[in-house]
Amino acid sequence: MTALYDEIESILLSIEKPGRYCGGEFNSINKENPFFRMALSYPDLYEIGMANHGLRILYDVSNAIEGCACERVFSVADDMRDVLVEKKIPLFTLESRTPLSECDLLGFNVSHELIYTNILQILDLGSVPLRRTERSEKDPFVCFGGDAISNPFPMSLFADLFFAGEGEDGLPELIRCMMDCKEKGLSRKETLEKLSYIDGVIISEYLDQYGKTRKVKKRSYRGHPVNPLRPIVPSMRISQDKAVVEVTRGCANLCKFCHAGYYSLPSRNFSYQDSVDAAKQIIQNTGYDDVTFLSLSIGDYREMTELLNAVLPYFNERGVSISLPSLKVDESTLPVIRTISDIRRTSITLALEAADEEMRMNINKKLTIDELERIVTALFNEHWDTVKFYFMLGLPGYKEKDEAQAILDLLTRIDCIGMKRKKINVTVSPFIPKPHTPLENADMASEEYFRDTVRRLKSSVPKRIVIKNHNIGSSLIEGLLARGDSSISAVIEDAYRKGAHLDSWDEHFRYDIWKQAIAAHAVDTAVVYSSKTADLMQWKIIDTGYGHLTDSMRSKCSDRIFNPSLSRDLDTEASAAGVAAFKIKYDCKTRARVVLTKTGAMKYISHLDYMEIVKRGFRILGIPLSYTQGFNTHERLAAGYPLPLGIESEHELFDLDLYDDLDQSLFTGRDSLAFPCGVRVLSVSEIEGRDSLMAAINALAFTVTAKDPSVLAVIRHSLENRIPLVKVSKEGVKKDVLFADAVKSYECSESAISIIVTIGTPNSLRIDQLVAQLAGAEILSAGIRLLKTASFTADGTSLRNIL
Ligand code: SF4
């Protein structure tokens, strides 16, 4: 262990959500002494970054290269930033806790512009100079890829190189080239020169020469889908915490405003059989019970019915649920919506974008008002209680049409269909003309227009219709960053220095800071937002391969896509048979008690997150856990007393209801296949009766150790003198507690102290609060380690011993 490792350990418990920074997750890869080390990032907080599918893919393909260790780093929250700065600890990778400045390459997957300042925070805290011109031979190379890089100019001050295209296609080539250069001892300049010959790579220093001499060809991946079959399973809850299988890439609908659709062309459909196999393996390898089939527009997946017919019986039998994000709602997708939403009919989303039919047709969104009314009527008749609508403001034609009135008229019609009894929620967002779309040359409406339209909407709708708007300031900044040129780099740097960070989070976005930075650099935003002629669209140096299509779509619309798969029948009987087969799991045939550890990095994981880790592990092991019946079915598993953060345990108790006999061999020697480091199965046994575990436990045993022997001496002295104790309630109210009411017994040895404490009584104390009082110091600063070792019933029987 390095000194840095110890320093990091010393700070993690002083911050909120240490699970963001401790690593050690199930399926994470930590290679020892690699020749080449890179840090890969989706630059947002851990819980957002870890949900990025691109990151999963790039982590997998990079770590498949021999000699290359691909590790992760994310942006940090304010509390962690303050501690890192105060203690002068450099930001580090999660796997090996290597400072970023010691990596060979820092790769950022940048999907949208509002995470640019997060990148600067990561570089800054990692002691890597923000500006590429200030980096020396010992600094890592900094590379940006992802959708936002479709216009690389605003970030050109900070990137050594960009990668245009899909990473699984080009990243391995890029890494191998860098490894080769490192082996040959080439300089930074020589390495960049070599990299410049790779298709898709843009060297920032040469950025102004592109376009004049040549274009950069964006790379598109044409092989089989790279669905990581052993993705990292986060130890703490993240956004979209589920198994993910990508079934399509690109989108053939060609909605003219859609950057994701155009920049990810060509539209590809992956084989349903590959997707089914991947989904089954990922569930087995992760223990997830929820699968997302990822697609920009899943309703257009050409093997949709085949996919659902293959997975629904299998998943229903195992209690695995399916989500189909981005499922466009039209008459062809209604049967699918009915099938997958049989149990829960809460809300459904219709992304209309424009309420005025002519504007809607002009952006190539082909839902007619008649069809919309038929769909909404069907949904309301089938007991959908809430319908959500998405609209954009400022779409082409906004100057001639009254967008607010068109939205109000449409909502009134929908409200009448729902007989003013259904819930209608509406979100409106400013339209941002993005590069490489047919509307790239359009103007972005003014701040006044957006604010005035939102105000009119909110003041005119009936109260039961809820209208929310996307932050107008952040949309304008996103537009600036998406459409700007190299001069915007200085604005980004300045905004970051002034405190801009996590700009895509409403609660963190600081429009005032951005306005100051824009003013300080005298950027004329009106020019950036105005309509563009070809020579002002500097992003055209990237050849997406579909420029001709984008240009031609400017003046026409495409035909509506017919998905033949949706006209084939869903096998509802097989799906229902799966649901029926699952019902066997409502029985309880046997009960078992399992003792698990919670040590190492697991001490930073909350009790609720630990419960999820345990459940997923049991699913991987194939433990026949019973399920509760009802609306929100879940495994019947009870845990012992929750362990406070920072305390380790060799005695975490779980009582399980099983619908089958207990088979010890399912556990024996297989725990490392199912749990992250720090969670191991110590014992398993059958139990009788249905007594509640929590009610049975009366006392807990802990072992106390400390780096400094004098700390143990103080604790021992306090115990021997039975010092008066104080209990502090959650509300901060203090009360005196008799020593004998809190401490049942203790035993001291040279190197450790064992303490048995009472629990569940008005006078019992949390072990960390008790030991802090005994030591006269904070657990963290005194270097004290607490390890739970046993639980006892009221008559003093150890629950471990009776197993
Ligand atoms: S259907 Fe969705 S993903 Fe496809 S082009 Fe239209 S908006 Fe984009």
Side-chain angles (χ1 to χ4, degrees):
M1 302 261 171
T2 61
L4 177 64
Y5 189 96
D6 285 343
E7 273 188 272
I8 293 166
E9 284 292 293
S10 74
I11 61 168
L12 284 180
L13 283 175
S14 64
I15 51 165
E16 195 202 359
K17 298 194 183 175
R20 286 168 171 162
Y21 315 106
C22 66
E25 306 96 322
F26 191 52
N27 291 338
S28 59
I29 299 167
N30 189 2
K31 295 185 184 177
E32 266 184 39
N33 300 320
F35 170 70
F36 186 88
R37 195 188 307 273
M38 66 180 284
L40 184 66
S41 179
Y42 180 89
D44 208 311
L45 294 184
Y46 177 90
E47 49 270 46
I48 304 295
M50 280 300 293
N52 180 261
H53 191 58
L55 192 88
R56 289 189 195 110
I57 293 175
L58 299 179
Y59 187 78
D60 228 37
V61 297
S62 306
N63 272 314
I65 298 172
E66 207 182 322
C68 169
C70 178
E71 309 190 358
R72 293 158 300 148
V73 65
F74 297 99
S75 189
V76 306
D78 291 354
D79 61 345
M80 180 65 164
R81 177 204 57 205
D82 292 346
V83 177
L84 290 177
V85 171
E86 185 201 327
K87 308 258 179 190
K88 296 191 171 54
I89 298 174
L91 186 58
F92 49 88
T93 60
L94 294 185
E95 279 76 1
S96 65
R97 297 189 178 176
T98 300
L100 296 191
S101 57
E102 291 176 21
C103 292
D104 298 292
L105 169 66
L106 307 182
F108 293 86
N109 184 22
V110 197
S111 67
H112 65 92
E113 297 78 5
L114 291 179
I115 49 181
Y116 285 169
T117 53
N118 303 348
I119 297 177
L120 300 197
Q121 187 219 38
I122 292 171
L123 296 177
D124 203 14
L125 293 176
S127 301
V128 177
L130 297 191
R131 295 184 174 212
R132 62 180 159 77
T133 47
E134 289 167 10
R135 288 179 202 136
S136 68
E137 289 294 326
K138 67 175 182 38
D139 286 312
F141 289 91
V142 176
C143 176
F144 303 151
D147 282 9
I149 298 312
S150 68
N151 175 14
F153 287 86
M155 289 297 276
S156 56
L157 192 62
F158 317 112
D160 292 300
L161 64 154
F162 297 95
F163 179 77
E166 293 166 357
E168 62 267 72
D169 190 51
L171 188 60
E173 191 181 343
L174 190 148
I175 292 171
R176 286 202 178 91
C177 177
M178 293 186 89
M179 289 173 78
D180 189 44
C181 293
K182 183 177 178 182
E183 201 168 8
K184 290 180 177 143
L186 299 192
S187 69
R188 204 172 177 83
K189 192 162 180 54
E190 288 166 330
T191 303
L192 288 172
E193 177 66 25
K194 291 257 181 222
L195 289 167
S196 73
Y197 291 101
I198 297 176
D199 277 350
V201 168
I202 305 168
I203 306 299
S204 289
E205 196 185 334
Y206 310 152
L207 199 51
D208 290 337
Q209 295 167 25
Y210 291 98
K212 295 190 189 90
T213 50
R214 64 175 172 127
K215 284 200 167 195
V216 182
K217 197 149 179 40
K218 175 184 161 251
R219 299 273 290 254
S220 285
Y221 177 69
R222 303 296 178 123
H224 281 286
V226 187
N227 282 306
L229 299 178
R230 288 191 178 278
I232 298 173
V233 186
S235 301
M236 61 175 271
R237 195 156 294 215
I238 62 163
S239 146
Q240 301 298 317
D241 203 1
K242 39 182 85 162
V244 179
V245 178
E246 188 181 20
V247 292
T248 73
R249 193 174 290 185
C251 179
N253 282 294
L254 303 178
C255 306
K256 294 184 194 178
F257 56 85
C258 180
H259 182 260
Y262 280 88
Y263 198 62
S264 60
L265 285 172
S267 161
R268 285 147 284 176
N269 279 251
F270 300 129
S271 122
Y272 88 92
Q273 199 52 59
D274 282 352
S275 305
V276 172
D277 293 346
K280 289 180 180 174
Q281 285 188 61
I282 295 170
I283 285 169
Q284 177 53 42
N285 294 337
T286 59
Y288 277 123
D289 62 353
D290 197 349
V291 179
T292 291
F293 288 106
L294 195 65
S295 166
L296 283 176
S297 176
I298 187 88
D300 299 309
Y301 178 45
R302 289 206 208 108
E303 295 181 316
M304 179 72 158
T305 304
E306 292 77 356
L307 175 76
L308 291 177
N309 283 343
V311 294
L312 278 174
Y314 182 87
F315 285 173
N316 286 348
E317 192 178 337
R318 286 159 182 78
V320 175
S321 54
I322 291 177
S323 22
L324 300 175
S326 320
L327 180 61
K328 68 178 179 191
V329 183
D330 64 21
E331 288 174 313
S332 68
T333 56
L334 277 179
V336 176
I337 293 166
R338 286 184 190 113
T339 305
I340 59 164
S341 328
D342 259 352
I343 308 168
R344 262 179 113 146
R345 297 201 167 180
T346 48
S347 80
I348 196 150
T349 303
L350 290 135
L352 291 184
E353 322 299 356
D356 179 89
E357 186 139 322
E358 194 185 333
M359 287 174 80
R360 199 161 60 244
M361 296 301 148
N362 275 344
I363 55 168
N364 212 23
K365 258 288 177 281
K366 302 165 204 94
L367 194 70
T368 63
I369 189 72
D370 292 341
E371 191 181 355
L372 174 67
E373 289 190 354
R374 285 198 298 275
I375 291 167
V376 173
T377 306
L379 292 172
F380 285 161
N381 286 342
E382 292 174 30
H383 310 298
W384 292 84
D385 294 329
T386 306
V387 180
K388 296 182 187 170
F389 289 95
Y390 276 109
F391 296 104
M392 282 196 267
L393 302 177
L395 281 164
Y398 76 95
K399 287 178 186 155
E400 295 84 44
K401 304 270 186 174
D402 186 340
E403 286 188 300
Q405 194 55 51
I407 293 173
L408 291 168
D409 291 346
L410 190 138
L411 293 177
T412 306
R413 289 170 82 161
I414 302 294
D415 200 24
C416 286
I417 295 172
M419 303 208 289
K420 303 190 176 175
R421 285 207 297 266
K422 300 289 182 177
K423 230 173 147 190
I424 300 171
N425 293 341
V426 181
T427 303
V428 292
S429 311
F431 161 62
I432 305 169
K434 290 261 177 132
H436 303 287
T437 67
L439 304 182
E440 63 189 343
N441 62 338
D443 68 305
M444 185 167 176
S446 67
E447 181 168 358
E448 296 68 40
Y449 172 80
F450 290 128
R451 294 205 186 280
D452 185 53
T453 311
V454 168
R455 185 192 49 71
R456 279 182 59 208
L457 279 172
K458 289 189 174 174
S459 61
S460 308
V461 286
K463 275 213 171 78
R464 64 185 164 278
I465 298 180
V466 179
I467 296 201
K468 288 189 187 151
N469 65 287
H470 194 270
N471 189 311
I472 291 168
S474 74
S475 296
L476 287 159
I477 296 304
E478 186 178 339
L480 180 78
L481 303 181
R483 294 163 66 80
D485 59 18
S486 315
S487 66
I488 303 298
S489 284
V491 177
I492 299 169
E493 187 183 31
D494 200 13
Y496 166 68
R497 294 285 183 214
K498 288 181 160 87
H501 176 229
L502 299 177
D503 296 305
S504 59
W505 297 59
D506 274 357
E507 62 270 43
H508 292 284
F509 177 69
R510 293 279 308 274
Y511 194 32
D512 56 329
I513 285 181
W514 280 98
K515 285 199 281 194
Q516 285 169 28
I518 290 166
H521 295 273
V523 169
D524 187 351
T525 52
V527 173
V528 182
Y529 297 140
S530 65
S531 56
K532 305 250 180 213
T533 51
D535 56 321
L536 289 176
M537 294 190 276
Q538 69 285 348
W539 52 80
K540 291 284 196 182
I541 63 158
I542 295 178
D543 173 10
T544 61
Y546 291 86
H548 56 288
L549 174 70
T550 310
D551 291 343
S552 69
M553 284 298 293
R554 210 160 277 150
S555 53
K556 66 169 193 183
C557 287
S558 61
D559 292 336
R560 190 164 181 164
I561 297 174
F562 168 69
N563 181 358
S565 177
L566 293 177
S567 60
R568 293 193 270 278
D569 285 339
L570 280 164
D571 190 348
T572 46
E573 270 181 34
S575 169
V579 174
F582 180 77
K583 289 182 179 155
I584 187 182
K585 299 185 179 180
Y586 295 148
D587 288 344
C588 175
K589 189 173 179 188
T590 350
R591 298 194 77 224
R593 179 162 296 161
V594 183
V595 182
L596 294 163
T597 63
K598 184 174 187 284
T599 54
M602 285 297 117
K603 70 171 175 277
Y604 301 116
I605 302 305
S606 73
H607 179 68
L608 283 179
D609 288 335
Y610 178 68
M611 292 269 290
E612 280 307 308
I613 290 172
V614 170
K615 279 187 207 164
R616 286 195 295 254
F618 286 155
R619 286 184 210 129
I620 294 172
L621 295 176
I623 309 303
L625 274 167
S626 302
Y627 279 74
T628 60
Q629 294 191 46
F631 187 60
N632 227 339
T633 182
H634 57 267
E635 286 103 335
R636 278 159 43 178
L637 158 152
Y641 267 85
L643 202 61
L645 275 190
I647 299 173
E648 296 177 78
S649 174
E650 289 180 347
H651 187 73
E652 289 308 283
L653 290 172
F654 287 87
D655 281 359
L656 323 179
D657 286 5
L658 306 176
Y659 64 84
D660 206 345
D661 292 329
L662 172 62
D663 178 357
Q664 300 260 6
S665 70
L666 291 176
F667 296 89
T668 317
R670 297 178 66 229
D671 46 5
S672 64
L673 305 174
F675 298 105
C677 249
V679 183
R680 289 292 169 264
V681 178
L682 294 180
S683 63
V684 185
S685 60
E686 200 165 321
I687 51 172
E688 303 287 335
R690 303 211 56 85
D691 289 349
S692 148
L693 194 52
M694 293 279 269
I697 297 172
N698 176 269
L700 300 174
F702 292 88
T703 300
V704 185
T705 50
K707 280 185 192 155
D708 180 351
S710 68
V711 174
L712 278 189
V714 174
I715 297 173
R716 190 179 308 129
H717 182 264
S718 300
L719 284 165
E720 284 164 1
N721 288 286
R722 300 168 74 89
I723 62 162
L725 298 168
V726 176
K727 179 166 181 162
V728 185
S729 71
K730 276 186 196 148
E731 297 74 37
V733 180
K734 293 182 180 175
K735 79 166 183 180
D736 294 335
V737 169
L738 288 177
F739 183 89
D741 284 347
V743 180
K744 276 196 155 221
S745 64
Y746 63 89
E747 223 176 279
C748 301
S749 75
E750 191 105 326
S751 56
I753 297 171
S754 301
I755 305 180
I756 297 179
V757 296
T758 58
I759 51 160
T761 71
N763 288 337
S764 53
L765 289 183
R766 247 175 61 167
I767 183 66
D768 47 348
Q769 291 170 2
L770 170 71
V771 174
Q773 290 183 51
L774 296 172
E778 287 302 317
I779 301 286
L780 192 58
S781 55
I784 295 170
R785 179 183 182 231
L786 299 171
L787 178 73
K788 183 174 153 194
T789 55
S791 309
F792 298 93
T793 58
D795 63 5
T797 309
S798 162
L799 288 177
R800 166 172 282 187
N801 295 342
I802 62 168
L803 294 179

